[in-house]
Amino acid sequence: MSSVPAALQDMAAPDGVCFGCGSSHPEGLQLKSYWDEDGVHVVCRHTPDPKFHGWPGLVYGGLVAMLVDCHSNWTAMAYHYRAEGREPGSLPRIDCVTGKLNLTFIKPTPMGVELTLKARVEGEVGRKSRVICEVWAGDVLTVTADSIFVRVDAEQLKAQAHGRA
Amino acid sequence: MSSVPAALQDMAAPDGVCFGCGSSHPEGLQLKSYWDEDGVHVVCRHTPDPKFHGWPGLVYGGLVAMLVDCHSNWTAMAYHYRAEGREPGSLPRIDCVTGKLNLTFIKPTPMGVELTLKARVEGEVGRKSRVICEVWAGDVLTVTADSIFVRVDAEQLKAQAHGRA
C-alpha cells in the first residue's frame, strides 16, 4: 500500500479561495504543490485547459504567469514552515504574497503537454524570500522565473486594500 | 454624433484567440486597448470577474499578470504600427510575444473596482521593445511592470513549439 502525500495547499490552506491555488475555489485551477524527494525543490504538475491558449497551439503566457505565481509562493511558504520545524497545516498559519514576479519566456510553451514547475528558494528564507522557478514542457525548459515573496498578515493586507488600514 | 474608436485588438487581430485579449475567444477576458489622447500611453480598462480573487476581496496577482501581459504587448504592437506610419489592421500584420514579464506588486489590488492599465514603450521600438505598465485601482497605483516584447513571425513560433522548426 502506497501513501500519497497531501499537497501543500490541502494541508496548509484547505479553505483557500485563490483562483490559482485555492483548494476551495470551485472554478479555479486548483494547483497542487509537493516537496520533491530531493528536499530542495517544490514541484507542481499541471496540464492547461485548452481554453488558455495565447496563440493556436500555444499556452498563454498569462496562464504560465498564474502557475508560476502560485507555485512559487507555495514554495516560499513550504520553506518557511520547514525553517520553523513545523508541518504545513500547523498553527499559526504562514501566509506570503507576491512582491515581484519576474518571468523570462525562453521558448513557446506547447498546448496539450503536461507542464512541470520546479521551484526552490534561493538564499535566505526571510520576510522577503527569493524563489527560482522553472517551467518544463516535457524535457523542454520554456520559462524561468526569479521572484520575491513577502511574508504577511493576510487580514491586515485585506484591510489595507480597502482603505481601512 | 461621437465616434468611438475601435480597440487595437479589434482592428489588428479580430480573429485573435488569446485567452486574455483575443477578440474571438468566447470565454476569454477580451481585453481592449486604446491609444490615449496624450499620444504616449495606451490604456486598458477592466473590472475583474469576482472569481479571479487571490484572497477574499483582493484581485489575484496572476490575473493582474494576465492583464499586464496582454496590454503591454498591445502597447508594443501599437508603437510598431505607428513607427511604420501604418494603421493597426493594415498588412502585413505585426505580432509580438512576451520576452520578459516583470511585475512589482506595490499594494494589494481591491476587488470590485475598475482597473486602469496605462502603458508606454520606453526607449526604441525595435525587435525587442521595453514596455512600462502601471495598474491603477481608482487613484491607487497597485502594480508596476517593466517588460520586454519581441517582434516575431507567429507561424514560425508555433512550429518551433511543436518541434517542427
Side-chain angles (χ1 to χ4, degrees), chain A residues 12-165:
Chain A
D15 57 346
V17 298
C18 174
F19 180 82
C21 62
S23 297
S24 292
H25 194 310
E27 300 172 73
L29 303 178
Q30 299 226 350
L31 300 174
K32 305 296 182 193
S33 304
Y34 302 89
W35 273 109
D36 189 74
E37 288 176 358
D38 68 10
V40 174
H41 293 91
V42 179
V43 174
C44 171
R45 293 189 168 82
H46 181 77
T47 302
D49 185 289
K51 76 178 174 189
F52 289 118
H53 46 192
W55 304 82
L58 302 181
V59 178
Y60 172 34
L63 189 272
V64 176
M66 284 188 168
L67 306 181
V68 169
D69 184 22
C70 283
H71 178 62
S72 298
N73 195 8
W74 276 101
T75 299
M77 292 188 282
Y79 269 74
H80 273 290
Y81 278 108
R82 190 170 69 175
E84 295 185 10
R86 298 201 278 128
E87 287 296 316
S90 62
L91 297 176
R93 178 167 150 166
I94 291 171
D95 288 307
C96 293
V97 297
T98 314
K100 290 177 183 284
L101 183 67
N102 301 318
L103 296 103
T104 299
F105 294 85
I106 300 169
K107 293 186 176 180
T109 301
M111 186 59 82
V113 177
E114 183 183 71
L115 306 180
T116 302
L117 287 85
K118 293 186 68 173
R120 64 181 169 80
V121 168
E122 171 72 28
E124 296 292 314
V125 184
R127 192 178 78 80
K128 295 186 178 184
S129 304
R130 180 182 172 197
V131 177
I132 307 294
C133 181
E134 296 177 344
V135 181
W136 293 82
D139 58 358
V140 178
L141 179 65
T142 65
V143 176
T144 59
D146 186 345
S147 309
I148 302 290
F149 295 86
V150 184
R151 190 158 169 181
V152 295
D153 178 325
E155 281 305 310
Q156 197 171 16
L157 193 77
K158 185 180 170 188
Q160 181 192 349
H162 290 274
R164 298 193 302 272

Side-chain angles (χ1 to χ4, degrees), chain B residues 11-12 81 85-94:
Chain B
M11 286 191 283
Y81 278 108
R86 298 201 278 130
E87 287 296 315
S90 62
L91 297 175
R93 178 166 150 167
I94 291 172

